[in-house]
């Protein structure tokens, strides 16, 4: 390895590492400061609070300097180079780490362009191998697009998709620059509907309430409440307006976030790969190998199901999903009939229209009773100790029963030659499709009381990222479950 061969990440990596560290530590620090109820002052005459404030600011500056130094060391000690058909990486200060990745083992290169990447025409490259890990084998935080193209070229050379002639010209052996076929792109209307029907609005509403509760010492809630109480005496309209305002604000923020994250979502394909790109502030391009698809899920939450929309998720044997996600979102928001058409085009070996084996009527009582046991205790406690207003908690019981009945009516499965299709519901309806050779394990369970009624449950597990995914068939007829288990046996 010569000095000319060694390459470093772009210096902007220092800033990226610095901000990532601050982002990770910021929330605990903020919670500590506000929970400690510190009285801060920059007035020198207030000696009791002035010097603690200076000490706090000095500690914060020292902390930021330490974080910056570690970010600089992390960048300085990270080098990579190409040698003997391998991508070689060395990093670490006190403990030297070396990783050698053969180019022929690299499956995909995923690219991301964040806010700090784009002004300098840089990309982050996540290198994924055939190991099937949820995380990338290695991440090159910030390199030029030319360096990223060189890694891709070295990978293709190792796989004998290109050869380099003696004069340095590249001969295309496997038609590297294959024209991608356009499949689908989300539009503005679908982006707004995606945000409106997602759960992010409720999460944002809860987050705002939780953050606001930490500012009791700075916001005079009691005085505000006293003034509001005088207004509320004239009616509940004021409260309704406040709630509606908070909901509208959360809805607007959810739309904004969804717009930035899913902006320009586009699906393209070649014969062996799928390419997904999205993002406004942070552009992401994900590559998915078709032969690594383990299962396909069509998810319809109640609101989307009412209007015929769904989301399609791919369970892949590897970390091709976004960060902190275990799967690839193939179609984030689309009419179900259009989703079926696209899936038939991409995966013609799958059957998408079938007849399901449904849950028998004798299992209805199990669907209704099982979810009731746990909430009965808190409902009884609240009703007794907070009578008469606590009696309103009884409303939860019919709602739980209604959801259980909905689950009973939804559940079903179908076997089509070498394919298993499972439909089940928690709140959202999930249609799970998997080929027999992709199933990692199948487990049948049966309680004592279920055995007396000839009822059994089955749990189908596939490999998807690190934890995998399990589909459940609850309280089906024992004979139907037995036939399914025989179908799964390898010698059948």
């Amino acid at each position: 390895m010569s000095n000319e061969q060694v390459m470093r990440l772009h210096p902007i990596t220092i800033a990226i590492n610095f901000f990532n560290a601050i982002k990770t530590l910021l929330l605990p620090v903020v919670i500590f400061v506000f929970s400690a109820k510190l009285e801060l002052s920059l007035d020198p005459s207030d000696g009791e609070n002035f010097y603690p404030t200076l000490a706090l600011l000095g500690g914060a500056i020292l902390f930021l300097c330490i974080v910056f130094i570690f970010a600089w060391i992390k960048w300085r000690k990270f080098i990579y180079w190409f040698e003997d058909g391998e991508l070689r990486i060395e990093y670490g200060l006190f403990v030297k780490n070396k990783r050698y990745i053969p180019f022929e083992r690299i499956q995909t290169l995923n690219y991301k362009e964040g806010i700090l990447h784009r002004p300098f025409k840089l990309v982050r490259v996540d290198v994924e191998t055939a190991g099937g890990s949820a995380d990338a084998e290695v991440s090159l935080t910030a390199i030029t697009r030319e360096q990223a193209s060189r890694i891709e070229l070295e990978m293709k050379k190792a796989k004998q998709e290109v050869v380099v002639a003696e004069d340095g010209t590249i001969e295309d052996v496997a038609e590297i620059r294959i024209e991608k076929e356009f499949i689908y792109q989300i539009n503005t209307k679908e982006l707004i509907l995606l945000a409106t029907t997602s759960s992010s609005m409720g999460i944002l509403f809860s987050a705002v309430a939780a953050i606001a509760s930490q500012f009791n010492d700075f916001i005079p809630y009691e005085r505000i409440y006293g003034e509001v109480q005088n207004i509320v005496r004239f009616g509940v309209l004021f409260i309704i307006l406040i709630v509606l305002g908070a909901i509208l604000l959360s809805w607007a923020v959810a739309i904004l976030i969804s717009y930035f994250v899913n902006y320009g979502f586009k699906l393209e394909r070649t014969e062996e790969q799928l390419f997904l790109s999205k993002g406004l502030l942070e552009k992401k391009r994900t590559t998915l190998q078709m032969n690594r698809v383990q299962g396909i899920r069509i998810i319809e939450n109640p609101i989307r199901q009412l209007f015929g929309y769904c989301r399609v998720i791919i369970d892949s044997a590897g970390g091709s999903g976004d960060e902190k996600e275990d799967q690839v979102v193939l179609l984030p928001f689309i009419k179900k009939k259009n989703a079926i058409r696209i899936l038939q085009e991409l995966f013609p070996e799958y059957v998408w229209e079938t007849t399901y084996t449904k849950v028998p009527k004798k299992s209805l009582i199990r669907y209704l009773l099982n979810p009731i046991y746990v909430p009965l205790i808190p409902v009884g406690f609240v009703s007794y100790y907070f009578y008469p207003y606590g009696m309103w908690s009884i409303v939860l019981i019919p709602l739980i029963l209604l959801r259980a009945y909905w689950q009973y009516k939804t559940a079903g499965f179908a076997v089509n030659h070498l394919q298993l299709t499972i439909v089940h519901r928690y709140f959202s309806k999930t249609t799970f499709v998997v080929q027999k050779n992709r199933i990692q394990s199948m487990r049948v369970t049966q309680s004592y009381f279920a055995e007396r009624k000839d009822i059994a449950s089955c749990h189908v597990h596939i490999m998807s990222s690190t934890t995998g995914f399990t589909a459940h068939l609850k309280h089906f007829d024992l004979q139907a479950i037995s036939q399914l288990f025989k179908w799964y046996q390898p010698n059948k």
Side-chain angles (χ1 to χ4, degrees):
M1 175 185 63
S2 63
N3 291 332
E4 291 77 11
Q5 293 176 313
V6 173
M7 289 175 283
R8 297 186 184 275
L9 304 179
H10 192 275
I12 199 65
T13 303
I14 302 173
I16 296 174
N17 293 337
F18 175 78
F19 287 121
N20 285 340
I22 294 298
K23 182 175 64 175
T24 304
L25 299 172
L26 183 61
L27 183 59
V29 170
V30 171
I31 293 176
F32 168 76
V33 170
F34 283 109
S35 62
K37 299 181 180 180
L38 300 175
E39 295 185 8
L40 307 177
S41 175
L42 293 175
D43 185 3
S45 62
D46 186 4
E48 183 179 355
N49 298 318
F50 176 68
Y51 294 106
T53 302
L54 287 182
L56 182 62
L57 290 176
I61 294 173
L62 178 62
F63 170 75
L64 293 176
C65 291
I66 293 174
V67 172
F68 181 83
I69 291 172
F70 275 100
W72 180 85
I73 292 174
K74 185 177 180 181
W75 166 76
R76 185 65 183 175
K77 293 298 180 180
F78 191 105
I79 59 174
Y80 69 99
W81 69 96
F82 308 139
E83 188 176 339
D84 296 334
E86 294 177 330
L87 171 61
R88 299 190 174 185
I89 300 167
E90 184 179 302
Y91 59 96
L93 176 60
F94 300 107
V95 179
K96 288 287 186 179
N97 295 277
K98 295 183 179 181
R99 303 181 72 174
Y100 295 170
I101 305 174
F103 283 109
E104 60 184 13
R105 288 189 63 243
I106 297 177
Q107 291 285 335
T108 57
L109 298 173
N110 294 328
Y111 301 96
K112 297 180 182 179
E113 298 178 38
I115 299 176
L116 296 177
H117 291 90
R118 298 176 69 180
F120 302 97
K121 298 182 179 180
L122 305 173
V123 294
R124 168 182 164 179
V125 179
D126 293 333
V127 180
E128 295 183 357
T129 63
S133 173
D135 301 320
E137 186 75 18
V138 68
S139 292
L140 303 178
T141 308
I143 61 176
T144 63
R145 294 171 183 172
E146 291 75 16
Q147 290 173 317
S149 299
R150 185 178 173 187
I151 295 175
E152 188 170 1
L153 176 62
E154 294 291 337
M155 180 183 71
K156 294 180 182 298
K157 285 165 57 178
K159 295 181 179 182
Q160 297 182 345
E161 295 178 352
V162 296
V163 294
V164 181
E166 294 181 358
D167 58 358
T169 59
I170 299 175
E171 298 179 7
D172 193 339
V173 175
E175 298 184 7
I176 298 176
R177 302 186 181 277
I178 299 176
E179 189 70 23
K180 297 176 185 176
E181 179 184 355
F182 172 80
I183 301 296
Y184 163 78
Q185 184 167 12
I186 196 168
N187 55 45
T188 304
K189 175 186 174 182
E190 291 173 334
L191 274 176
I192 297 175
L193 291 175
L194 169 61
T196 307
T197 58
S198 68
S199 59
S200 58
M201 184 174 68
I203 295 173
L204 284 170
F205 186 77
S206 302
V208 170
I211 293 173
S213 66
Q214 301 297 323
F215 291 85
N216 290 327
D217 296 330
F218 302 93
I219 301 176
Y221 285 119
E222 294 181 1
R223 192 179 72 184
I224 294 174
Y225 175 75
E227 295 177 357
V228 171
Q229 193 175 29
N230 294 327
I231 301 175
V232 173
R233 289 173 183 172
F234 297 97
V236 296
L237 179 61
F238 187 76
I239 294 179
I240 295 176
L241 291 177
I242 291 177
V243 173
L244 288 177
I247 292 175
L248 288 175
L249 178 61
S250 301
W251 180 71
V253 174
I255 290 177
L256 191 63
I257 293 174
S258 181
Y259 185 86
F260 285 160
V261 172
N262 295 289
Y263 177 83
F265 183 98
K266 184 164 62 174
L267 172 63
E268 299 173 297
R269 75 162 183 180
T270 60
E271 185 176 348
E272 299 179 351
Q273 294 176 322
L274 295 175
F275 300 91
L276 301 96
S277 57
K278 64 178 181 179
L280 180 60
L281 298 180
E282 181 182 29
K283 289 188 176 182
K284 299 181 181 180
R285 194 196 82 179
T286 303
T287 304
L288 174 65
Q289 298 288 339
M290 299 282 283
N291 59 3
R292 301 179 74 180
V293 174
Q294 303 297 301
I296 303 171
R297 283 182 273 164
I298 302 174
I299 301 177
E300 308 164 72
N301 70 28
I303 299 177
R304 293 176 181 176
Q305 185 179 2
L306 183 65
F307 294 98
Y309 285 91
C310 68
R311 178 169 65 131
V312 179
I313 287 177
I314 296 290
D315 290 292
S316 174
S320 296
D322 292 339
E323 291 182 5
K324 301 181 182 179
E325 294 185 2
D326 292 338
Q327 66 278 321
V328 178
V329 179
L330 184 70
L331 301 168
F333 188 85
I334 190 174
K335 279 283 188 181
K336 185 176 180 180
K337 61 180 181 180
N338 294 334
I340 296 297
R341 175 182 56 79
I342 292 174
L343 290 172
Q344 286 176 336
E345 181 181 353
L346 295 177
F347 306 97
E349 68 275 16
Y350 286 83
V351 177
W352 299 104
E353 300 292 339
T354 185
T355 303
Y356 295 101
T357 299
K358 305 297 290 184
V359 181
K361 292 182 179 180
K362 60 184 177 182
S363 297
L364 176 59
I365 190 66
R366 302 184 67 85
Y367 270 89
L368 296 178
L369 291 182
N370 284 351
I372 288 296
Y373 298 136
V374 175
L376 274 179
I377 297 176
V379 166
F381 177 85
V382 171
S383 300
Y384 180 78
Y385 285 98
F386 297 93
Y387 181 86
Y389 299 106
M391 297 294 291
W392 283 102
S393 61
I394 298 178
V395 175
L396 292 174
I397 301 301
L399 294 177
I400 293 173
L401 290 174
L402 181 63
R403 182 182 68 89
Y405 181 75
W406 206 6
Q407 291 175 326
Y408 162 78
K409 294 295 292 183
T410 301
F413 75 92
V415 174
N416 299 95
H417 188 47
L418 297 178
Q419 173 186 310
L420 173 63
T421 305
I422 297 175
V423 181
H424 61 94
R425 177 189 298 276
Y426 186 75
F427 285 111
S428 298
K429 176 183 176 182
T430 300
T431 303
F432 173 61
V433 183
V434 62
Q435 295 287 325
K436 178 180 176 180
N437 61 341
R438 300 296 188 181
I439 298 176
Q440 294 294 307
S441 65
M442 183 178 290
R443 180 169 57 93
V444 177
T445 58
Q446 191 178 33
S447 67
Y448 171 76
F449 296 102
E451 186 176 359
R452 297 178 59 184
K453 295 290 186 179
D454 289 332
I455 295 173
S457 299
C458 184
H459 312 275
V460 180
H461 185 80
I462 65 169
M463 177 170 48
S464 175
S465 185
T466 53
T467 58
F469 171 76
T470 302
H472 305 280
L473 294 168
K474 295 183 178 180
H475 315 311
F476 278 78
D477 186 79
L478 177 61
Q479 183 178 1
I481 294 296
S482 299
Q483 291 177 350
L484 176 61
F485 197 72
K486 290 180 181 178
W487 167 83
Y488 173 66
Q489 292 177 3
N491 59 344
K492 297 299 181 182

